[in-house]
Amino acid sequence: ASPAGEMAVSSEKKVYEVVLKQAALVKRHLISIEKPDIVVPGNLLSEAYDRCGEVCAEYAKTFYLGTMLMTPDRRRAIWAIYVWCRRTDELVDGPNASHITPQALDRWEARLEDIFNGRPFDMLDAALSDTVSKFPVDIQPFRDMVEGMRMDLWKSRYNNFDELYLYCYYVAGTVGLMSVPIMGIAPESKATTESVYNAALALGIANQLTNILRDVGEDARRGRVYLPQDELAQAGLSDEDIFAGRVTDKWRIFMKKQIQRARKFFDEAEKGVTELSSASRWPVLASLLLYRKILDEIEANDYNNFTRRAYVSKPKKLLTLPIAYARSLV
């Protein structure tokens, strides 16, 4: 409870309320939630989607291949969402990140509102504006991702996992909530819509936790530590150990626990993949299996994520794709 006597609400509870809202939109089949039609010449809109596809192909090659199995409408919609998320992330991690201010993010969020109101600013915005007018996609996860970017401007430490969970939701779990209406739920699925959304959320959390564990050294060089401070202290570690880049037994024990947690989120996510529409399962499952392998590579590097970057080799990627495809058919 706070000093004012208010009960503290966990991050998972806050996020679950967003999940329930998104699931309700799909269950009620609200394809248009008071969204105006976007007026863009057909050929220009087609060019906009093609450009989104080119960006996706350049920066997310494996996932792009997976999207080619989707129906054309779903494929283009996923490209549009991917590009908006990438542009949002680039605001704080791209070449101009040092010049980004809270006011710049406020302007980006206002531009997001315009996208949902059918007033796109540029070609890439037009693709997303068209997408959100056709699918039961709500603006809240997009707003929350911008909030995650705001957090990156001022917060570089996380006291506990509850704080870190909320950050992971903002910057990655949101993508899962954005994507479910596009991916579609299989007509024969007996699972609740909420459980499918929860699985999508878990995949985003798992991916971001994996990013954090992979990039410990890189983040430390920027003065950032995306690890729960209380768990570091319990392990007998501190920020100084991370900045020094020491791989000790204490660090290995700490990392094993962090990897175990990430894998639990991947396991939770995998349960929901089978509930997606058949054409969407393969790219999602391939992404899940490939990202989970990064954790294996951290272990193979003897938990040295200070000076060695864990990555999945091309042969391993190629081997994973048919495995994911076969499992997506079951």
Side-chain angles (χ1 to χ4, degrees):
S2 70
E6 298 170 347
M7 291 302 295
V9 179
S10 73
S11 294
E12 289 194 35
K13 174 65 175 172
K14 291 177 186 174
V15 172
Y16 189 58
E17 289 172 359
V18 180
V19 168
L20 290 177
K21 183 181 178 185
Q22 310 312 303
L25 294 179
V26 173
K27 281 194 292 188
R28 281 155 37 204
H29 302 287
L30 291 183
I31 300 303
S32 180
I33 318 157
E34 298 180 1
K35 296 174 185 173
D37 291 333
I38 173 175
V39 182
V40 178
N43 59 335
L44 189 60
L45 197 55
S46 179
E47 288 178 25
Y49 277 120
D50 288 345
R51 179 58 189 142
C52 289
E54 290 168 5
V55 174
C56 188
E58 182 176 354
Y59 294 101
K61 294 179 176 62
T62 302
F63 183 69
Y64 174 79
L65 289 175
T67 64
M68 300 307 288
L69 276 185
M70 297 179 184
T71 61
D73 281 353
R74 284 179 177 164
R75 178 191 315 153
R76 289 192 294 265
I78 285 295
W79 291 345
I81 288 175
Y82 171 83
V83 168
W84 184 86
C85 291
R86 180 170 182 81
R87 294 171 89 189
T88 303
D89 184 64
E90 284 284 299
L91 292 175
V92 295
D93 280 335
N96 297 315
S98 60
H99 304 294
I100 293 298
T101 63
Q103 291 73 30
L105 290 174
D106 289 344
R107 289 193 294 272
W108 186 251
E109 186 168 1
R111 184 164 158 176
L112 171 67
E113 300 280 349
D114 286 340
I115 288 173
F116 270 77
N117 287 322
R119 297 192 300 269
F121 179 77
D122 63 15
M123 176 185 279
L124 300 178
D125 284 357
L128 182 60
S129 195
D130 183 63
T131 289
V132 302
S133 73
K134 291 178 176 175
F135 291 88
V137 180
D138 184 52
I139 196 172
Q140 191 59 49
F142 294 83
R143 286 184 183 134
D144 287 344
M145 178 173 277
V146 177
E147 188 60 33
M149 301 305 116
R150 287 194 183 96
M151 192 177 285
D152 258 336
L153 293 182
W154 64 271
K155 194 174 179 69
S156 60
R157 298 292 187 279
Y158 293 83
N159 292 324
N160 49 49
F161 183 68
D162 188 67
E163 287 188 12
L164 186 62
Y165 177 91
L166 189 60
Y167 172 73
C168 289
Y169 160 68
Y170 280 152
V171 299
T174 48
V175 181
L177 302 191
M178 296 171 193
S179 303
V180 171
I182 314 299
M183 298 292 187
I185 298 173
E188 67 275 14
S189 173
K190 299 294 191 295
T192 65
T193 311
E194 289 88 347
S195 69
V196 177
Y197 267 92
N198 258 340
L201 169 65
L203 180 56
I205 300 291
N207 285 346
Q208 187 59 26
L209 289 175
T210 300
N211 286 341
I212 288 169
L213 298 180
R214 179 194 63 195
D215 299 339
V216 166
E218 184 180 321
D219 289 331
R221 287 187 284 277
R222 297 163 56 206
R224 295 180 172 276
V225 179
Y226 290 98
L227 298 166
Q229 292 289 312
D230 59 344
E231 294 178 24
L232 280 170
Q234 288 165 13
L237 298 165
S238 66
D239 289 355
E240 284 64 37
D241 294 299
I242 293 172
F243 294 141
R246 290 191 287 263
V247 181
T248 62
D249 286 341
K250 286 181 180 178
W251 178 252
R252 292 185 185 96
I253 292 169
F254 172 79
M255 280 301 301
K256 285 177 183 177
K257 290 181 179 178
Q258 301 302 309
I259 288 173
Q260 182 182 34
R261 172 188 282 147
R263 283 184 173 139
K264 284 182 179 177
F265 279 101
F266 276 122
D267 291 344
E268 183 64 29
E270 193 169 357
K271 295 174 188 174
V273 175
T274 55
E275 310 301 334
L276 296 176
S277 64
S278 57
S280 301
R281 287 176 204 149
W282 183 52
V284 176
L285 191 56
S287 171
L288 186 155
L289 296 180
L290 287 169
Y291 240 82
R292 188 157 58 189
K293 282 185 178 295
I294 294 174
L295 300 174
D296 301 339
E297 297 301 323
I298 294 174
E299 291 173 333
N301 288 343
D302 191 30
Y303 305 100
N304 180 6
N305 42 5
F306 299 114
T307 59
R308 297 186 65 182
R309 184 178 174 86
Y311 70 96
V312 181
S313 66
K314 193 169 184 179
K316 287 181 180 178
K317 283 183 179 179
L318 293 175
L319 185 62
T320 300
L321 293 179
I323 293 172
Y325 183 66
R327 285 173 62 174
S328 73
L329 298 176
V330 177

